[in-house]
Amino acid sequence: MNGVNKGLRKVEMALKWDPSPAGEPPTDLDIVAGTYLADDPRGEPAYVVHFDSRSPDGTITLNRDSTDGKGFGWDEVMTIELDRLDARYARVVVGVVIQQRPAERTFVSVINPAFRIREAYTVLAEDDFGGVLGATAATVAEFVRDPADGWSLHDGVQGYEDDPATFTRIMGRLRRS
């Protein structure tokens, strides 16, 4: 890294949605993050962090988890400490999955979903999933390490129609333009 541009250091991914109407099954969205090794940046993730796991080194942390969207403000929050990630990692891909139990859902049936990615108080990306209404999961950001300039963000929402387990395996493949 040069002295002027340190790249992104510590980012926060926040996700929110409104609860299901009374009498309907709860809607459960989850933030997931996959890390990819420099020697295989488009292959299988080295590890995936989600509601039921954590990063081995503590650099990716799910700070808040909701199973029904009944929180105040942001229902799920994940912190990604890019500046602390080991040099063997070249990419981090962040996505959102809709749990398919007890009811099958796509983003069109989630009430007011939205996400925000920020570093400190600077908003880097935000969206409402309006471009992927038929999807059951979506990638929302790709963080890429440049040895000279540090970490940068490639944002953009890309929808998938896969179950959560399949999505976490393929979410790091080449992104469509």
Side-chain angles (χ1 to χ4, degrees), residues 13-19 27-30 69 73-75 96-98 105-116 126-133 135 138 140 157:
M13 164 66 182
L15 176 66
K16 66 180 176 178
W17 68 99
D18 289 345
T27 302
D28 184 5
L29 278 64
D30 289 308
W74 298 98
D75 297 304
V96 174
V97 297
I98 305 170
R105 289 198 164 89
T106 61
F107 283 104
V108 75
S109 62
V110 178
I111 302 170
N112 297 321
F115 74 88
R116 175 190 69 200
E126 52 188 349
D127 197 287
D128 63 3
F129 300 97
V132 294
L133 294 176
V140 299
V157 179

Side-chain angles (χ1 to χ4, degrees), residues 16-83:
K16 66 180 176 178
W17 68 99
D18 289 345
S20 299
E24 289 190 23
T27 302
D28 184 5
L29 278 64
D30 289 308
I31 302 172
V32 296
T35 58
Y36 298 85
L37 296 170
D39 61 357
D40 191 15
R42 303 265 180 220
E44 292 282 323
Y47 61 86
V48 177
V49 177
H50 51 80
F51 69 91
D52 202 13
S53 68
R54 64 181 297 268
S55 65
D57 58 5
T59 57
I60 302 175
T61 308
L62 186 62
N63 309 72
R64 187 176 309 149
D65 178 39
S66 173
T67 58
D68 56 15
K70 291 182 181 175
F72 292 108
W74 298 98
D75 297 304
E76 297 215 352
V77 177
M78 179 179 279
T79 302
I80 305 167
E81 296 181 69
L82 297 165
D83 60 335

